Amino acid sequence: MGSVAAGVAASHPATARTGVRILEAGGTAADAAVAAVLACCVAETIYTGIGGGGFATYFDARTGEVTCLDFFVAVPGLDGDRKPEPMVAVDVFFGGLPQIYSIGGASVAVPGVPAGLGEVHRRWGRLPWSDVVAPAAGLARTGVLLPAAHARTLKSCAPALAYGDGAGAYQPGGRLLESDELLFHHGLATAMDALAADGPEVFYTGEYADLLVATVREAGGTLGPADLASYRVAEAPVDNATLGGHRVCARHDLNRTVDTIGALPADLSRPGRAVGVATALRDLGAQRLGDTTNVSVVDQEGNACVITTTLGLGAGVWLPGLGINLNSMLGEGELLTEELVPGRRMSSYMCPLVVIGPDDSLTVAAGSAGASRIRTALVDTLLGVLVDGLDVADAIARPRFHAVEDTIHAEHGCPPEELTALRDAGWQVVEWPDLNHYFGGVTAVGQAGAAGDPRRGGVGLIL
């Protein structure tokens, strides 16, 4: 295999084009990834936004060093001057079944996206910050077309997304947006222009900090000035595991993806591996929707930057006049794994990763959406590329299975002999009629090409 071509993979054409535009302008992988994530905050607001949190994994081709930055949301309450009011319960249809989610001001945790993108750019960027923000500001001025896959997600999540001020963007005239219709957020261009001019601090100690606090508190939340002023991007420990003679490097996420890779069976030939892979992937947690998106970038020098971000479902609490929805992380029950101590980072399944070859060069840069299915989606994609010899697009697009307790959820097209082996081993198998966004949304750039996930309307572009 040769070196990885410079390229961008994302879950919206506008996001991918933004990343490529920055690479063509001489930007690094970090510049392009930051610009693309900001484009996500305009084009993919069903999944993410300025008011959310995330993680970034960066591979430095010159030194071989892998760094992971944690800019996920933090628990509010450092000001200690108020108690949260009850959250707002909404029914969201997921897998055909209604699930209750909690949104509203009390669900809003301290956002990390502006600070995180600023830190990625500070460490590894080359272009001026304003140049990196400019493409997203341009998209915000015009709006973007909604891909079919995103329209399907909107239909599922409408009770949360079209709640309150969100109705104007997602349900103009009382009708939900459909495929290829214009998604436009009034005021978002103003917010992007301020971010370009003043930097990330505009949301923490600058012009918009008081507005952020007042908006959340008016909606029943506890976010205060101390929460914003004390927020810092953290560096997360990076661990690695071997797969197909390659090192997979990532943070320890809630699902422990790196440990799972380390626990895969020694014999990974198909179809015999199915039972061992399912056992390693067994998930005992609740299955929730988890709206998330990912951007993967490799630049001309071989550096890689993978950034995964999320709003949860979105709190339905919008910054007035700025078109920014805030996160609903305190309403995501499966993430509330520890005592909610003010200032503490919340847990997350997100796992942006890089794969390093035997010669210490980059092989794959990848990440995924999909809550507890992130690990499943990434492991299956890496098995496809590193073990089965598939190109990135085929590895991402092929049917996957996900193991929950004693049940295998299998997408249409999974090899029948693997499903038979799983049934013979005592698993109950539920066959889905199609490929479905439940099974995650991988974006990856590798030696075998660049691709986004068809389950999420993904796009891969090579320079």
Side-chain angles (χ1 to χ4, degrees):
M1 296 176 92
S3 61
V4 178
V8 180
S11 292
H12 193 293
T15 305
R17 286 196 299 266
T18 295
V20 166
R21 176 175 159 188
I22 293 295
L23 289 179
E24 289 174 341
T28 64
D31 288 320
V34 168
V37 172
L38 288 168
C40 288
C41 295
V42 179
E44 302 180 40
T45 57
I46 286 167
Y47 301 126
T48 194
I50 288 285
F55 297 87
T57 298
Y58 188 83
F59 170 73
D60 186 315
R62 189 178 56 80
T63 64
E65 185 176 3
V66 178
T67 307
C68 183
L69 297 183
D70 174 347
F71 55 93
F72 200 48
V73 299
V75 179
L78 289 173
D79 295 83
D81 58 349
R82 63 182 55 214
K83 293 269 192 283
E85 295 174 19
M87 296 187 197
V88 178
V90 292
D91 274 346
V92 171
F93 278 82
F94 180 42
L97 299 171
Q99 293 198 19
I100 297 175
Y101 283 77
S102 298
I103 63 172
S107 74
V108 179
V110 185
V113 165
L117 298 182
E119 182 65 9
V120 170
H121 177 264
R122 186 187 72 78
R123 290 193 185 206
W124 301 294
R126 180 188 296 149
L127 299 180
W129 170 254
S130 57
D131 291 2
V132 172
V133 182
L139 289 174
R141 272 184 262 286
T142 61
V144 293
L145 296 180
L146 191 72
H150 295 211
R152 288 192 291 272
T153 303
L154 174 59
K155 195 171 181 182
S156 296
C157 302
L161 288 169
Y163 175 86
D165 290 347
Y170 299 117
Q171 201 169 312
R175 183 181 63 79
L176 277 181
L177 289 180
E178 295 180 7
S179 175
D180 292 329
E181 293 187 328
L182 192 70
L183 172 64
F184 179 77
H185 293 283
H186 289 279
L188 187 51
T190 300
M192 287 292 181
D193 288 342
L195 179 63
D198 300 340
E201 296 75 23
V202 71
F203 290 101
Y204 297 93
T205 55
E207 181 186 355
Y208 295 150
D210 289 346
L211 178 65
L212 186 48
V213 169
T215 303
V216 173
R217 291 188 164 198
E218 188 176 333
T222 62
L223 186 78
D227 296 315
L228 293 175
S230 65
Y231 184 88
R232 297 291 182 274
V233 177
E235 202 165 302
V238 178
D239 205 351
N240 64 84
T242 301
L243 179 62
H246 294 70
R247 280 186 299 124
V248 182
C249 304
R251 66 178 281 267
H252 272 302
D253 60 286
L254 195 54
N255 254 338
R256 302 191 78 81
T257 300
V258 173
D259 291 348
T260 300
I261 290 169
L264 291 172
D267 182 3
L268 288 171
S269 54
R270 302 184 83 172
R273 74 185 184 205
V275 173
V277 170
T279 302
L281 285 172
R282 188 192 301 264
D283 180 2
L284 302 177
Q287 304 302 297
R288 305 279 278 182
L289 196 54
D291 279 356
T292 305
T293 195
N294 186 80
V295 169
S296 301
V297 180
V298 177
D299 65 24
Q300 294 93 322
E301 294 158 24
N303 305 301
C305 190
V306 186
I307 303 180
T308 315
T309 60
T310 187
L311 277 178
L313 274 184
V317 177
W318 293 76
L319 294 186
L322 298 178
I324 293 174
N325 193 7
L326 299 175
N327 70 82
S328 60
M329 289 305 163
L330 291 168
E332 300 279 320
E334 75 276 20
L335 300 183
L336 308 182
T337 57
E338 301 169 296
E339 187 184 352
L340 294 178
V341 177
R344 177 181 284 175
R345 284 292 202 281
M346 294 186 68
S347 301
S348 171
Y349 295 109
M350 292 189 283
C351 190
L353 59 82
V354 292
V355 180
I356 312 301
D359 62 353
D360 295 329
S361 67
L362 182 72
T363 303
V364 182
S368 183
S372 58
R373 281 82 60 202
I374 288 174
R375 174 181 61 164
T376 293
L378 288 172
V379 169
D380 188 70
T381 299
L382 294 182
L383 284 170
V385 174
L386 302 178
V387 178
D388 301 336
L390 300 178
D391 65 31
V392 168
D394 287 344
I396 290 173
R398 71 176 178 180
R400 302 176 188 135
F401 66 74
H402 177 62
V404 186
E405 297 181 343
D406 297 321
T407 300
I408 295 292
H409 291 270
E411 287 185 299
H412 178 71
C414 280
E417 62 273 20
E418 292 196 356
L419 300 184
T420 298
L422 289 162
R423 288 189 182 98
D424 290 346
W427 294 85
Q428 179 184 345
V429 177
V430 175
E431 296 189 60
W432 291 51
D434 51 16
L435 299 188
N436 191 285
H437 75 162
Y438 168 82
F439 291 86
V442 177
T443 70
V445 181
Q447 291 177 348
D453 203 311
R455 297 162 185 84
R456 305 269 175 145
V459 177
L461 300 174
I462 293 291
L463 258 66

mmCIF file of all heavy atoms in Angstrom, residues 8 10-20 39 43-44 139 144-147 150 180 456-461:
data_model
loop_
_atom_site.group_PDB
_atom_site.id
_atom_site.type_symbol
_atom_site.label_atom_id
_atom_site.label_comp_id
_atom_site.label_asym_id
_atom_site.label_seq_id
_atom_site.Cartn_x
_atom_site.Cartn_y
_atom_site.Cartn_z
ATOM 1 N N VAL A 8 -10.625 14.593 2.323
ATOM 2 C CA VAL A 8 -11.581 14.921 3.383
ATOM 3 C C VAL A 8 -12.767 13.975 3.270
ATOM 4 O O VAL A 8 -13.272 13.742 2.166
ATOM 5 C CB VAL A 8 -12.080 16.377 3.257
ATOM 6 C CG1 VAL A 8 -13.068 16.706 4.374
ATOM 7 C CG2 VAL A 8 -10.912 17.358 3.265
ATOM 8 N N ALA A 10 -16.642 13.405 5.127
ATOM 9 C CA ALA A 10 -17.598 14.059 6.014
ATOM 10 C C ALA A 10 -18.998 13.546 5.702
ATOM 11 O O ALA A 10 -19.193 12.749 4.778
ATOM 12 C CB ALA A 10 -17.532 15.576 5.836
ATOM 13 N N SER A 11 -19.974 14.028 6.472
ATOM 14 C CA SER A 11 -21.353 13.559 6.317
ATOM 15 C C SER A 11 -22.253 14.562 5.598
ATOM 16 O O SER A 11 -23.474 14.470 5.696
ATOM 17 C CB SER A 11 -21.939 13.201 7.687
ATOM 18 O OG SER A 11 -21.298 12.060 8.205
ATOM 19 N N HIS A 12 -21.662 15.507 4.906
ATOM 20 C CA HIS A 12 -22.435 16.451 4.082
ATOM 21 C C HIS A 12 -21.502 16.967 2.985
ATOM 22 O O HIS A 12 -20.335 17.276 3.255
ATOM 23 C CB HIS A 12 -22.928 17.627 4.933
ATOM 24 C CG HIS A 12 -23.967 18.472 4.271
ATOM 25 N ND1 HIS A 12 -23.697 19.246 3.155
ATOM 26 C CD2 HIS A 12 -25.279 18.672 4.549
ATOM 27 C CE1 HIS A 12 -24.792 19.887 2.784
ATOM 28 N NE2 HIS A 12 -25.772 19.548 3.604
ATOM 29 N N PRO A 13 -21.985 17.080 1.743
ATOM 30 C CA PRO A 13 -21.122 17.581 0.665
ATOM 31 C C PRO A 13 -20.506 18.943 0.960
ATOM 32 O O PRO A 13 -19.335 19.185 0.644
ATOM 33 C CB PRO A 13 -22.069 17.654 -0.536
ATOM 34 C CG PRO A 13 -23.151 16.670 -0.237
ATOM 35 C CD PRO A 13 -23.324 16.688 1.253
ATOM 36 N N ALA A 14 -21.273 19.846 1.579
ATOM 37 C CA ALA A 14 -20.752 21.183 1.867
ATOM 38 C C ALA A 14 -19.620 21.127 2.892
ATOM 39 O O ALA A 14 -18.659 21.897 2.817
ATOM 40 C CB ALA A 14 -21.878 22.087 2.371
ATOM 41 N N THR A 15 -19.737 20.204 3.850
ATOM 42 C CA THR A 15 -18.676 20.040 4.853
ATOM 43 C C THR A 15 -17.397 19.554 4.190
ATOM 44 O O THR A 15 -16.305 20.096 4.427
ATOM 45 C CB THR A 15 -19.117 19.021 5.923
ATOM 46 O OG1 THR A 15 -20.360 19.439 6.489
ATOM 47 C CG2 THR A 15 -18.085 18.907 7.009
ATOM 48 N N ALA A 16 -17.517 18.528 3.341
ATOM 49 C CA ALA A 16 -16.336 17.974 2.677
ATOM 50 C C ALA A 16 -15.694 19.000 1.747
ATOM 51 O O ALA A 16 -14.463 19.146 1.727
ATOM 52 C CB ALA A 16 -16.726 16.715 1.904
ATOM 53 N N ARG A 17 -16.532 19.722 0.991
ATOM 54 C CA ARG A 17 -15.979 20.735 0.073
ATOM 55 C C ARG A 17 -15.246 21.833 0.839
ATOM 56 O O ARG A 17 -14.216 22.353 0.376
ATOM 57 C CB ARG A 17 -17.100 21.342 -0.779
ATOM 58 C CG ARG A 17 -17.613 20.428 -1.878
ATOM 59 C CD ARG A 17 -18.431 21.190 -2.914
ATOM 60 N NE ARG A 17 -19.604 21.824 -2.324
ATOM 61 C CZ ARG A 17 -20.816 21.268 -2.281
ATOM 62 N NH1 ARG A 17 -21.003 20.050 -2.776
ATOM 63 N NH2 ARG A 17 -21.834 21.904 -1.748
ATOM 64 N N THR A 18 -15.748 22.189 2.011
ATOM 65 C CA THR A 18 -15.083 23.212 2.815
ATOM 66 C C THR A 18 -13.688 22.758 3.218
ATOM 67 O O THR A 18 -12.715 23.516 3.121
ATOM 68 C CB THR A 18 -15.923 23.526 4.067
ATOM 69 O OG1 THR A 18 -17.163 24.116 3.661
ATOM 70 C CG2 THR A 18 -15.188 24.474 5.004
ATOM 71 N N GLY A 19 -13.581 21.514 3.669
ATOM 72 C CA GLY A 19 -12.269 20.993 4.051
ATOM 73 C C GLY A 19 -11.289 20.986 2.893
ATOM 74 O O GLY A 19 -10.123 21.375 3.035
ATOM 75 N N VAL A 20 -11.766 20.566 1.722
ATOM 76 C CA VAL A 20 -10.902 20.526 0.533
ATOM 77 C C VAL A 20 -10.455 21.933 0.151
ATOM 78 O O VAL A 20 -9.278 22.158 -0.202
ATOM 79 C CB VAL A 20 -11.643 19.843 -0.637
ATOM 80 C CG1 VAL A 20 -10.917 20.085 -1.959
ATOM 81 C CG2 VAL A 20 -11.774 18.349 -0.379
ATOM 82 N N ALA A 39 -18.254 24.169 9.285
ATOM 83 C CA ALA A 39 -19.266 23.979 8.238
ATOM 84 C C ALA A 39 -20.352 23.014 8.717
ATOM 85 O O ALA A 39 -21.541 23.214 8.415
ATOM 86 C CB ALA A 39 -18.606 23.459 6.961
ATOM 87 N N ALA A 43 -24.264 23.216 8.255
ATOM 88 C CA ALA A 43 -24.906 22.280 7.330
ATOM 89 C C ALA A 43 -25.474 21.046 8.014
ATOM 90 O O ALA A 43 -26.367 20.396 7.468
ATOM 91 C CB ALA A 43 -23.888 21.851 6.273
ATOM 92 N N GLU A 44 -24.941 20.704 9.187
ATOM 93 C CA GLU A 44 -25.333 19.459 9.854
ATOM 94 C C GLU A 44 -25.865 19.728 11.255
ATOM 95 O O GLU A 44 -25.558 19.023 12.211
ATOM 96 C CB GLU A 44 -24.146 18.499 9.915
ATOM 97 C CG GLU A 44 -23.556 18.153 8.564
ATOM 98 C CD GLU A 44 -22.373 17.202 8.667
ATOM 99 O OE1 GLU A 44 -22.422 16.268 9.477
ATOM 100 O OE2 GLU A 44 -21.384 17.413 7.927
ATOM 101 N N LEU A 139 -21.429 29.848 4.212
ATOM 102 C CA LEU A 139 -22.538 28.885 4.148
ATOM 103 C C LEU A 139 -23.723 29.373 4.975
ATOM 104 O O LEU A 139 -24.882 29.201 4.585
ATOM 105 C CB LEU A 139 -22.083 27.518 4.665
ATOM 106 C CG LEU A 139 -21.109 26.722 3.796
ATOM 107 C CD1 LEU A 139 -20.652 25.475 4.538
ATOM 108 C CD2 LEU A 139 -21.743 26.351 2.459
ATOM 109 N N VAL A 144 -27.901 25.812 3.334
ATOM 110 C CA VAL A 144 -27.413 24.638 2.610
ATOM 111 C C VAL A 144 -28.590 23.699 2.339
ATOM 112 O O VAL A 144 -29.595 23.714 3.046
ATOM 113 C CB VAL A 144 -26.335 23.884 3.410
ATOM 114 C CG1 VAL A 144 -25.072 24.702 3.554
ATOM 115 C CG2 VAL A 144 -26.869 23.480 4.776
ATOM 116 N N LEU A 145 -28.434 22.865 1.328
ATOM 117 C CA LEU A 145 -29.469 21.884 1.026
ATOM 118 C C LEU A 145 -29.380 20.708 1.997
ATOM 119 O O LEU A 145 -28.289 20.276 2.367
ATOM 120 C CB LEU A 145 -29.333 21.386 -0.412
ATOM 121 C CG LEU A 145 -29.544 22.443 -1.498
ATOM 122 C CD1 LEU A 145 -29.394 21.816 -2.885
ATOM 123 C CD2 LEU A 145 -30.901 23.128 -1.358
ATOM 124 N N LEU A 146 -30.519 20.191 2.385
ATOM 125 C CA LEU A 146 -30.603 19.087 3.334
ATOM 126 C C LEU A 146 -30.548 17.758 2.575
ATOM 127 O O LEU A 146 -31.430 17.473 1.777
ATOM 128 C CB LEU A 146 -31.912 19.191 4.118
ATOM 129 C CG LEU A 146 -32.085 18.292 5.326
ATOM 130 C CD1 LEU A 146 -31.199 18.771 6.480
ATOM 131 C CD2 LEU A 146 -33.549 18.256 5.764
ATOM 132 N N PRO A 147 -29.506 16.928 2.817
ATOM 133 C CA PRO A 147 -29.455 15.631 2.134
ATOM 134 C C PRO A 147 -30.585 14.713 2.594
ATOM 135 O O PRO A 147 -31.128 14.865 3.692
ATOM 136 C CB PRO A 147 -28.091 15.059 2.567
ATOM 137 C CG PRO A 147 -27.302 16.233 3.047
ATOM 138 C CD PRO A 147 -28.306 17.178 3.627
ATOM 139 N N HIS A 150 -30.188 13.119 6.007
ATOM 140 C CA HIS A 150 -30.413 14.051 7.106
ATOM 141 C C HIS A 150 -31.906 14.320 7.285
ATOM 142 O O HIS A 150 -32.389 14.481 8.412
ATOM 143 C CB HIS A 150 -29.678 15.362 6.837
ATOM 144 C CG HIS A 150 -28.191 15.238 6.802
ATOM 145 N ND1 HIS A 150 -27.346 16.254 7.196
ATOM 146 C CD2 HIS A 150 -27.369 14.232 6.430
ATOM 147 C CE1 HIS A 150 -26.086 15.861 7.049
ATOM 148 N NE2 HIS A 150 -26.089 14.638 6.580
ATOM 149 N N ASP A 180 -33.258 17.878 -0.058
ATOM 150 C CA ASP A 180 -32.869 18.899 -1.033
ATOM 151 C C ASP A 180 -33.597 20.224 -0.867
ATOM 152 O O ASP A 180 -33.611 21.051 -1.773
ATOM 153 C CB ASP A 180 -33.033 18.391 -2.481
ATOM 154 C CG ASP A 180 -32.048 17.290 -2.809
ATOM 155 O OD1 ASP A 180 -30.936 17.310 -2.254
ATOM 156 O OD2 ASP A 180 -32.397 16.391 -3.598
ATOM 157 N N ARG A 456 -25.538 8.127 6.293
ATOM 158 C CA ARG A 456 -25.651 9.513 6.739
ATOM 159 C C ARG A 456 -25.474 10.504 5.590
ATOM 160 O O ARG A 456 -25.224 11.686 5.831
ATOM 161 C CB ARG A 456 -24.590 9.795 7.811
ATOM 162 C CG ARG A 456 -24.623 8.838 9.000
ATOM 163 C CD ARG A 456 -25.519 9.359 10.089
ATOM 164 N NE ARG A 456 -25.660 8.406 11.185
ATOM 165 C CZ ARG A 456 -25.774 8.745 12.465
ATOM 166 N NH1 ARG A 456 -25.741 10.022 12.794
ATOM 167 N NH2 ARG A 456 -25.938 7.842 13.401
ATOM 168 N N GLY A 457 -25.540 10.035 4.355
ATOM 169 C CA GLY A 457 -25.328 10.941 3.225
ATOM 170 C C GLY A 457 -23.890 11.391 3.116
ATOM 171 O O GLY A 457 -23.616 12.512 2.672
ATOM 172 N N GLY A 458 -22.948 10.516 3.498
ATOM 173 C CA GLY A 458 -21.539 10.899 3.591
ATOM 174 C C GLY A 458 -20.851 11.059 2.244
ATOM 175 O O GLY A 458 -21.278 10.522 1.215
ATOM 176 N N VAL A 459 -19.740 11.805 2.281
ATOM 177 C CA VAL A 459 -18.972 12.152 1.066
ATOM 178 C C VAL A 459 -17.485 12.040 1.375
ATOM 179 O O VAL A 459 -17.033 12.454 2.459
ATOM 180 C CB VAL A 459 -19.271 13.608 0.635
ATOM 181 C CG1 VAL A 459 -18.446 13.997 -0.571
ATOM 182 C CG2 VAL A 459 -20.751 13.786 0.335
ATOM 183 N N GLY A 460 -16.717 11.479 0.443
ATOM 184 C CA GLY A 460 -15.272 11.489 0.555
ATOM 185 C C GLY A 460 -14.666 12.142 -0.671
ATOM 186 O O GLY A 460 -15.055 11.824 -1.805
ATOM 187 N N LEU A 461 -13.746 13.074 -0.477
ATOM 188 C CA LEU A 461 -13.119 13.787 -1.577
ATOM 189 C C LEU A 461 -11.602 13.702 -1.453
ATOM 190 O O LEU A 461 -11.051 13.944 -0.376
ATOM 191 C CB LEU A 461 -13.531 15.268 -1.573
ATOM 192 C CG LEU A 461 -15.032 15.571 -1.722
ATOM 193 C CD1 LEU A 461 -15.269 17.064 -1.555
ATOM 194 C CD2 LEU A 461 -15.568 15.075 -3.051
#
